[in-house]
Amino acid sequence: RRFPSQSRKTLHRETVDRALKMMSSEQLKAFRVEEEPASLRAAYGDTPFGRGCLAARRLIEVGVRCVEVALNGWDTHVSNHKGTATQTKILDPAFATLIRDLREHDLLDSTVVLCTGEFGRTPKINPAGGRDHWPTGFSLALAGGGIRGGQVIGETPSDGSPTPEGSVSVDDLYATLLAAMGIDPGKSTITPIGRPIKLSEGTPLRQLLPS
């Protein structure tokens, strides 16, 4: 009330209204993963990440357009092999079951699935048995949304070279994701403060998209 012009510029009222609408939405029922069969919950894994992936499928099913499920604990500067083994026991069953579950609910073709971290780990083990930060190259997995699977694109050299072979830029990755969702990566939008921003500066990877 004291600063109406600033409120309009920051979309404060709209943000509050959307938050209140979300809090009373029927879509919140998607988080009731206990309603799913015990066998399916077991397949995802009795972990926060497994339950999160199951909730993700349920959220997609009721029309939520974007869902993120996080799994922390990959910062393995010490005892990398032990830490990675622990993490993959959580990640692998949940991720595999999510893909299968989306397909069985006829949702995979209309849902783009991205599994990635923030960057890679050094190709060599440090004195503490760990792997350090390696932003020059990292791996990710794509599925759904018409993505042409069964391909391996790019390779991190085993000799520790900082230049991956056949690497894909982050810009090109996001251009590919946008194209898979039927969105023109080169489209520009105008922010609430009037600033034009292009959705992506990259080029879609045609080998991953439907011909």
Side-chain angles (χ1 to χ4, degrees):
R1 289 192 297 267
R2 291 177 61 194
F3 305 101
S5 60
Q6 286 86 341
S7 178
R8 286 192 295 271
K9 289 180 180 179
T10 60
L11 301 179
H12 176 75
R13 182 70 261 166
E14 288 83 352
T15 301
V16 172
D17 288 343
R18 290 172 64 185
L20 292 172
K21 181 179 179 181
M22 181 183 67
M23 291 166 62
S24 59
S25 171
E26 286 290 310
Q27 293 174 325
L28 290 176
K29 294 179 181 178
F31 290 104
R32 299 175 184 172
V33 296
E34 66 277 4
E35 296 177 352
E36 296 288 339
S39 58
L40 180 61
R41 285 182 277 132
Y44 273 100
D46 186 19
T47 64
F49 182 74
R51 291 187 289 275
C53 286
L54 176 52
R57 188 227 81 205
R58 290 169 59 89
L59 287 165
I60 294 297
E61 196 171 21
V62 297
V64 175
R65 292 178 293 177
C66 182
V67 182
E68 178 181 357
V69 186
L71 176 59
N72 297 321
W74 296 94
D75 207 16
T76 53
H77 293 281
V78 177
S79 302
N80 172 80
H81 297 325
K82 181 179 179 181
T84 301
T86 298
Q87 293 298 94
T88 53
K89 286 180 181 178
I90 299 171
L91 172 66
D92 289 359
F95 184 52
T97 303
L98 174 61
I99 299 297
R100 185 177 69 249
D101 203 12
L102 286 169
R103 180 182 293 114
E104 291 177 353
H105 283 79
D106 295 324
L107 295 169
L108 187 59
D109 288 342
S110 59
T111 305
V112 176
V113 183
L114 168 65
C115 180
T116 183
E118 55 198 314
F119 48 60
R121 314 298 298 186
T122 50
K124 296 182 179 181
I125 300 296
N126 65 28
R131 297 172 68 190
D132 298 315
H133 294 168
W134 190 250
T136 55
F138 63 96
S139 301
L140 56 87
L142 288 175
I147 294 291
R148 297 167 64 184
Q151 303 182 67
V152 177
I153 299 176
E155 179 182 2
T156 302
S158 59
D159 62 1
S161 169
T163 306
E165 300 174 8
S167 61
V168 175
S169 70
V170 174
D171 287 339
D172 288 352
L173 166 65
Y174 280 99
T176 304
L177 293 175
L178 290 166
M181 292 186 286
I183 301 172
D184 178 8
K187 179 181 178 181
S188 292
T189 62
I190 303 298
T191 68
I193 62 173
R195 178 186 177 190
I197 295 181
K198 187 179 291 187
L199 296 183
S200 173
E201 299 288 345
T203 302
L205 301 176
R206 293 301 168 189
Q207 65 264 48
L208 285 175
L209 300 173
S211 56

